PDB file of all heavy atoms in Angstrom:
ATOM      1  N   GLY A1187      14.009  -1.703 -16.112  1.00 97.00           N
ATOM      2  CA  GLY A1187      13.649  -1.412 -14.728  1.00 97.00           C
ATOM      3  C   GLY A1187      12.408  -0.570 -14.528  1.00 97.00           C
ATOM      4  O   GLY A1187      12.006  -0.328 -13.387  1.00 97.00           O
ATOM      5  N   VAL A1188      11.787  -0.089 -15.623  1.00 98.00           N
ATOM      6  CA  VAL A1188      10.549   0.686 -15.503  1.00 98.00           C
ATOM      7  C   VAL A1188       9.399  -0.286 -15.230  1.00 98.00           C
ATOM      8  O   VAL A1188       9.096  -1.135 -16.070  1.00 98.00           O
ATOM      9  CB  VAL A1188      10.268   1.508 -16.783  1.00 98.00           C
ATOM     10  CG1 VAL A1188       9.013   2.362 -16.582  1.00 98.00           C
ATOM     11  CG2 VAL A1188      11.461   2.394 -17.123  1.00 98.00           C
ATOM     12  N   LYS A1189       8.759  -0.177 -14.069  1.00 98.00           N
ATOM     13  CA  LYS A1189       7.766  -1.177 -13.654  1.00 98.00           C
ATOM     14  C   LYS A1189       6.467  -1.095 -14.443  1.00 98.00           C
ATOM     15  O   LYS A1189       5.812  -2.109 -14.683  1.00 98.00           O
ATOM     16  CB  LYS A1189       7.483  -1.031 -12.161  1.00 98.00           C
ATOM     17  CG  LYS A1189       8.669  -1.376 -11.275  1.00 98.00           C
ATOM     18  CD  LYS A1189       8.318  -1.222  -9.800  1.00 98.00           C
ATOM     19  CE  LYS A1189       9.515  -1.596  -8.930  1.00 98.00           C
ATOM     20  NZ  LYS A1189       9.191  -1.441  -7.481  1.00 98.00           N
ATOM     21  N   VAL A1190       6.077   0.119 -14.811  1.00 98.00           N
ATOM     22  CA  VAL A1190       4.857   0.323 -15.597  1.00 98.00           C
ATOM     23  C   VAL A1190       5.187   1.225 -16.775  1.00 98.00           C
ATOM     24  O   VAL A1190       5.702   2.329 -16.596  1.00 98.00           O
ATOM     25  CB  VAL A1190       3.733   0.959 -14.751  1.00 98.00           C
ATOM     26  CG1 VAL A1190       2.545   1.326 -15.624  1.00 98.00           C
ATOM     27  CG2 VAL A1190       3.298   0.015 -13.635  1.00 98.00           C
ATOM     28  N   VAL A1191       4.904   0.739 -17.981  1.00 98.00           N
ATOM     29  CA  VAL A1191       5.156   1.500 -19.203  1.00 98.00           C
ATOM     30  C   VAL A1191       3.822   1.753 -19.897  1.00 98.00           C
ATOM     31  O   VAL A1191       3.028   0.832 -20.080  1.00 98.00           O
ATOM     32  CB  VAL A1191       6.093   0.736 -20.162  1.00 98.00           C
ATOM     33  CG1 VAL A1191       6.338   1.554 -21.429  1.00 98.00           C
ATOM     34  CG2 VAL A1191       7.408   0.392 -19.479  1.00 98.00           C
ATOM     35  N   VAL A1192       3.589   3.017 -20.282  1.00 98.00           N
ATOM     36  CA  VAL A1192       2.376   3.372 -21.010  1.00 98.00           C
ATOM     37  C   VAL A1192       2.784   4.114 -22.281  1.00 98.00           C
ATOM     38  O   VAL A1192       3.455   5.145 -22.212  1.00 98.00           O
ATOM     39  CB  VAL A1192       1.440   4.258 -20.172  1.00 98.00           C
ATOM     40  CG1 VAL A1192       0.161   4.547 -20.942  1.00 98.00           C
ATOM     41  CG2 VAL A1192       1.115   3.601 -18.823  1.00 98.00           C
ATOM     42  N   VAL A1193       2.392   3.573 -23.418  1.00 98.00           N
ATOM     43  CA  VAL A1193       2.670   4.213 -24.703  1.00 98.00           C
ATOM     44  C   VAL A1193       1.383   4.848 -25.210  1.00 98.00           C
ATOM     45  O   VAL A1193       0.376   4.157 -25.389  1.00 98.00           O
ATOM     46  CB  VAL A1193       3.187   3.204 -25.747  1.00 98.00           C
ATOM     47  CG1 VAL A1193       3.573   3.932 -27.033  1.00 98.00           C
ATOM     48  CG2 VAL A1193       4.376   2.419 -25.205  1.00 98.00           C
ATOM     49  N   THR A1194       1.396   6.171 -25.394  1.00 96.00           N
ATOM     50  CA  THR A1194       0.213   6.850 -25.924  1.00 96.00           C
ATOM     51  C   THR A1194       0.239   6.771 -27.446  1.00 96.00           C
ATOM     52  O   THR A1194       1.282   6.972 -28.074  1.00 96.00           O
ATOM     53  CB  THR A1194       0.148   8.313 -25.465  1.00 96.00           C
ATOM     54  OG1 THR A1194       1.384   8.973 -25.783  1.00 96.00           O
ATOM     55  CG2 THR A1194      -0.076   8.391 -23.959  1.00 96.00           C
ATOM     56  N   LEU A1195      -0.934   6.495 -28.032  1.00 95.00           N
ATOM     57  CA  LEU A1195      -1.036   6.245 -29.468  1.00 95.00           C
ATOM     58  C   LEU A1195      -1.933   7.239 -30.175  1.00 95.00           C
ATOM     59  O   LEU A1195      -2.475   6.946 -31.248  1.00 95.00           O
ATOM     60  CB  LEU A1195      -1.563   4.821 -29.691  1.00 95.00           C
ATOM     61  CG  LEU A1195      -0.806   3.699 -28.966  1.00 95.00           C
ATOM     62  CD1 LEU A1195      -1.527   2.368 -29.133  1.00 95.00           C
ATOM     63  CD2 LEU A1195       0.625   3.599 -29.472  1.00 95.00           C
ATOM     64  N   GLY A1196      -2.124   8.427 -29.578  1.00 90.00           N
ATOM     65  CA  GLY A1196      -2.956   9.444 -30.203  1.00 90.00           C
ATOM     66  C   GLY A1196      -4.382   8.963 -30.370  1.00 90.00           C
ATOM     67  O   GLY A1196      -4.999   8.453 -29.422  1.00 90.00           O
ATOM     68  N   GLU A1197      -4.901   9.070 -31.573  1.00 90.00           N
ATOM     69  CA  GLU A1197      -6.288   8.702 -31.846  1.00 90.00           C
ATOM     70  C   GLU A1197      -6.540   7.196 -31.740  1.00 90.00           C
ATOM     71  O   GLU A1197      -7.683   6.751 -31.789  1.00 90.00           O
ATOM     72  CB  GLU A1197      -6.677   9.178 -33.248  1.00 90.00           C
ATOM     73  CG  GLU A1197      -5.872   8.558 -34.360  1.00 90.00           C
ATOM     74  CD  GLU A1197      -6.222   9.098 -35.731  1.00 90.00           C
ATOM     75  OE1 GLU A1197      -6.905  10.132 -35.798  1.00 90.00           O
ATOM     76  OE2 GLU A1197      -5.799   8.490 -36.731  1.00 90.00           O
ATOM     77  N   LYS A1198      -5.465   6.407 -31.557  1.00 94.00           N
ATOM     78  CA  LYS A1198      -5.622   4.955 -31.431  1.00 94.00           C
ATOM     79  C   LYS A1198      -5.642   4.491 -29.973  1.00 94.00           C
ATOM     80  O   LYS A1198      -5.709   3.286 -29.714  1.00 94.00           O
ATOM     81  CB  LYS A1198      -4.497   4.245 -32.192  1.00 94.00           C
ATOM     82  CG  LYS A1198      -4.542   4.483 -33.695  1.00 94.00           C
ATOM     83  CD  LYS A1198      -3.417   3.763 -34.404  1.00 94.00           C
ATOM     84  CE  LYS A1198      -3.455   4.026 -35.909  1.00 94.00           C
ATOM     85  NZ  LYS A1198      -2.342   3.352 -36.620  1.00 94.00           N
ATOM     86  N   GLY A1199      -5.548   5.427 -29.029  1.00 96.00           N
ATOM     87  CA  GLY A1199      -5.648   5.057 -27.618  1.00 96.00           C
ATOM     88  C   GLY A1199      -4.298   4.924 -26.946  1.00 96.00           C
ATOM     89  O   GLY A1199      -3.450   5.800 -27.046  1.00 96.00           O
ATOM     90  N   ALA A1200      -4.065   3.793 -26.264  1.00 97.00           N
ATOM     91  CA  ALA A1200      -2.831   3.610 -25.500  1.00 97.00           C
ATOM     92  C   ALA A1200      -2.480   2.128 -25.394  1.00 97.00           C
ATOM     93  O   ALA A1200      -3.319   1.249 -25.641  1.00 97.00           O
ATOM     94  CB  ALA A1200      -2.978   4.215 -24.108  1.00 97.00           C
ATOM     95  N   TYR A1201      -1.231   1.861 -25.042  1.00 98.00           N
ATOM     96  CA  TYR A1201      -0.754   0.494 -24.796  1.00 98.00           C
ATOM     97  C   TYR A1201      -0.088   0.487 -23.432  1.00 98.00           C
ATOM     98  O   TYR A1201       0.757   1.339 -23.133  1.00 98.00           O
ATOM     99  CB  TYR A1201       0.253   0.073 -25.873  1.00 98.00           C
ATOM    100  CG  TYR A1201       0.812  -1.315 -25.699  1.00 98.00           C
ATOM    101  CD1 TYR A1201       0.052  -2.441 -26.019  1.00 98.00           C
ATOM    102  CD2 TYR A1201       2.105  -1.512 -25.217  1.00 98.00           C
ATOM    103  CE1 TYR A1201       0.570  -3.731 -25.857  1.00 98.00           C
ATOM    104  CE2 TYR A1201       2.638  -2.788 -25.060  1.00 98.00           C
ATOM    105  CZ  TYR A1201       1.863  -3.897 -25.381  1.00 98.00           C
ATOM    106  OH  TYR A1201       2.370  -5.166 -25.219  1.00 98.00           O
ATOM    107  N   VAL A1202      -0.487  -0.440 -22.560  1.00 98.00           N
ATOM    108  CA  VAL A1202       0.065  -0.519 -21.206  1.00 98.00           C
ATOM    109  C   VAL A1202       0.830  -1.828 -21.038  1.00 98.00           C
ATOM    110  O   VAL A1202       0.475  -2.852 -21.633  1.00 98.00           O
ATOM    111  CB  VAL A1202      -1.046  -0.408 -20.133  1.00 98.00           C
ATOM    112  CG1 VAL A1202      -1.702   0.956 -20.186  1.00 98.00           C
ATOM    113  CG2 VAL A1202      -2.105  -1.506 -20.305  1.00 98.00           C
ATOM    114  N   TYR A1203       1.879  -1.773 -20.218  1.00 98.00           N
ATOM    115  CA  TYR A1203       2.728  -2.955 -20.024  1.00 98.00           C
ATOM    116  C   TYR A1203       3.280  -2.982 -18.601  1.00 98.00           C
ATOM    117  O   TYR A1203       3.727  -1.952 -18.081  1.00 98.00           O
ATOM    118  CB  TYR A1203       3.888  -2.928 -21.021  1.00 98.00           C
ATOM    119  CG  TYR A1203       4.684  -4.224 -21.082  1.00 98.00           C
ATOM    120  CD1 TYR A1203       4.378  -5.201 -22.020  1.00 98.00           C
ATOM    121  CD2 TYR A1203       5.725  -4.457 -20.182  1.00 98.00           C
ATOM    122  CE1 TYR A1203       5.107  -6.398 -22.074  1.00 98.00           C
ATOM    123  CE2 TYR A1203       6.457  -5.643 -20.221  1.00 98.00           C
ATOM    124  CZ  TYR A1203       6.144  -6.615 -21.173  1.00 98.00           C
ATOM    125  OH  TYR A1203       6.849  -7.787 -21.204  1.00 98.00           O
ATOM    126  N   ASN A1204       3.211  -4.147 -17.987  1.00 98.00           N
ATOM    127  CA  ASN A1204       3.871  -4.356 -16.689  1.00 98.00           C
ATOM    128  C   ASN A1204       4.289  -5.817 -16.577  1.00 98.00           C
ATOM    129  O   ASN A1204       4.414  -6.516 -17.586  1.00 98.00           O
ATOM    130  CB  ASN A1204       2.962  -3.911 -15.532  1.00 98.00           C
ATOM    131  CG  ASN A1204       1.844  -4.885 -15.223  1.00 98.00           C
ATOM    132  OD1 ASN A1204       1.493  -5.743 -16.051  1.00 98.00           O
ATOM    133  ND2 ASN A1204       1.265  -4.774 -14.040  1.00 98.00           N
ATOM    134  N   LYS A1205       4.483  -6.302 -15.368  1.00 97.00           N
ATOM    135  CA  LYS A1205       4.965  -7.661 -15.146  1.00 97.00           C
ATOM    136  C   LYS A1205       4.052  -8.727 -15.742  1.00 97.00           C
ATOM    137  O   LYS A1205       4.492  -9.863 -16.015  1.00 97.00           O
ATOM    138  CB  LYS A1205       5.112  -7.902 -13.639  1.00 97.00           C
ATOM    139  CG  LYS A1205       3.814  -7.821 -12.863  1.00 97.00           C
ATOM    140  CD  LYS A1205       4.054  -7.963 -11.369  1.00 97.00           C
ATOM    141  CE  LYS A1205       2.732  -8.037 -10.604  1.00 97.00           C
ATOM    142  NZ  LYS A1205       1.929  -6.795 -10.768  1.00 97.00           N
ATOM    143  N   ASP A1206       2.784  -8.407 -15.942  1.00 98.00           N
ATOM    144  CA  ASP A1206       1.818  -9.366 -16.483  1.00 98.00           C
ATOM    145  C   ASP A1206       1.762  -9.384 -18.003  1.00 98.00           C
ATOM    146  O   ASP A1206       1.050 -10.192 -18.597  1.00 98.00           O
ATOM    147  CB  ASP A1206       0.407  -9.050 -15.954  1.00 98.00           C
ATOM    148  CG  ASP A1206       0.324  -9.105 -14.445  1.00 98.00           C
ATOM    149  OD1 ASP A1206       1.046  -9.935 -13.849  1.00 98.00           O
ATOM    150  OD2 ASP A1206      -0.447  -8.319 -13.860  1.00 98.00           O
ATOM    151  N   GLY A1207       2.474  -8.469 -18.655  1.00 98.00           N
ATOM    152  CA  GLY A1207       2.411  -8.362 -20.111  1.00 98.00           C
ATOM    153  C   GLY A1207       1.818  -7.043 -20.549  1.00 98.00           C
ATOM    154  O   GLY A1207       1.807  -6.068 -19.777  1.00 98.00           O
ATOM    155  N   GLY A1208       1.294  -7.004 -21.781  1.00 98.00           N
ATOM    156  CA  GLY A1208       0.790  -5.742 -22.318  1.00 98.00           C
ATOM    157  C   GLY A1208      -0.613  -5.857 -22.878  1.00 98.00           C
ATOM    158  O   GLY A1208      -1.108  -6.957 -23.141  1.00 98.00           O
TER     159      GLY A1208
END
Side-chain angles (χ1 to χ4, degrees):
V1188 183
K1189 294 181 179 180
V1190 173
V1191 180
V1192 183
V1193 185
T1194 53
L1195 307 173
E1197 62 183 14
K1198 295 180 181 179
Y1201 179 76
V1202 295
Y1203 191 94
N1204 76 341
K1205 63 184 186 298
D1206 301 327

